[in-house]
Amino acid sequence: MRFEPRRNKTVSPRARRLRVAGGALCAAALAATLVTGCGQDGGDKTAAETSEAAKVLPNQTTSPSGSPSGTGQLTEDQTERKELLSTVKVPFDKAATTAVGEVSGGKLTDLDLEGLDDEDDASGSPSPSGSPSPSGSPSPSGSPSGSPSPSGSSAGPKWIAEVAEKDGTAHNVTIDAVSGAVIESVPDADQSDADKQELAAQLSKATQTPQQAAKTATDKTQGWVTSIGLDENDSKVLVWQVDVVTKDWNKTTFDVDAAKGTITDEQIDDD
């Protein structure tokens, strides 16, 4: 269970541009008609890329069934996000509802898409292959002992949730991110009494729900919520930390005040 602030990566903005194929004659032809173009490869490709770039992502967390644009050289992290999110069928909000339904009277305190932007020193072990780059659906770190989902895709994408009872007793819920089935739901065996008391105190202060915090983040930056968790920031303010992946496969991490619902910090990771 996480109570310390999450990692923040150095921001290194990068410019993207679309390459326009064809010369002056091709440009004239495109100006005359939107259907035909000079250079069979270049005109068609440019039109398709421009059309994709003009699309606006929905504010809510529906799964990215079609790969958003981005034809430039992707970084390792961007490639990982693109490949993993392309396999996810169950968005954040549905996974959150499923997780809370597993614990009577429980409240969501943490929800992460496993294998995405994980810390190298996290308690979960890295993928069995030892390779940081994914190959479609990355292997889970620390696979749960419960039976696999009905789809049989035990190595597929998963949502890992923490749901707490009113007294702070935490439960770990694993959800298949393709079928939406619950793979495992068990109490947190490593939780101490002090942990329970701290978590219960945080829940009593968090008047903003995780869904409200996610909406605040996606209203500011449109994309898919891939992680949300209740934490104290460096100023000891209780916040929901929300990760949003945008259509260029970059990630923005927001700190949303868990009592006021305002954004207190925003960091873009475009590595």
Side-chain angles (χ1 to χ4, degrees), residues 74-249:
L74 298 179
T75 66
E76 185 176 300
D77 285 342
Q78 289 172 316
T79 300
E80 180 183 70
R81 294 168 193 146
K82 179 179 179 180
E83 293 190 3
L84 182 55
L85 283 170
S86 296
T87 68
V88 173
K89 304 299 181 185
V90 178
F92 150 80
D93 49 354
K94 290 185 179 179
T97 300
T98 299
V100 171
E102 288 295 304
V103 180
S104 178
K107 292 184 178 181
L108 185 73
T109 59
D110 196 277
L111 182 63
D112 295 288
L113 189 57
E114 186 182 48
L116 199 66
D117 296 300
D118 287 344
E119 295 180 78
D120 293 337
D121 59 350
S123 57
S125 59
S127 59
S129 63
S131 173
S133 59
S135 56
S137 299
S139 300
S141 58
S143 300
S145 58
S147 59
S149 63
S151 65
S153 179
S154 59
K158 296 178 181 65
W159 287 102
I160 308 298
E162 180 186 78
V163 180
E165 299 178 37
K166 187 175 181 180
D167 67 353
T169 300
H171 297 254
N172 297 321
V173 183
T174 304
I175 300 166
D176 190 305
V178 176
S179 69
V182 174
I183 297 174
E184 184 181 55
S185 179
V186 295
D188 186 352
D190 297 327
Q191 193 181 27
S192 67
D193 290 339
D195 290 337
K196 292 180 182 180
Q197 293 173 4
E198 183 177 3
L199 189 54
Q202 288 182 335
L203 283 173
S204 67
K205 297 175 184 177
T207 57
Q208 292 286 309
T209 67
Q211 289 84 354
Q212 288 172 322
K215 185 178 186 303
T216 297
T218 53
D219 280 349
K220 180 70 181 294
T221 298
Q222 295 178 332
W224 299 281
V225 174
T226 59
S227 177
I228 188 167
L230 195 60
D231 269 308
E232 284 188 349
N233 63 15
D234 292 338
S235 300
K236 301 301 181 182
V237 175
L238 188 65
V239 297
W240 287 104
Q241 288 192 334
V242 187
D243 287 351
V244 178
V245 173
T246 51
K247 69 182 301 180
D248 57 4
W249 309 116

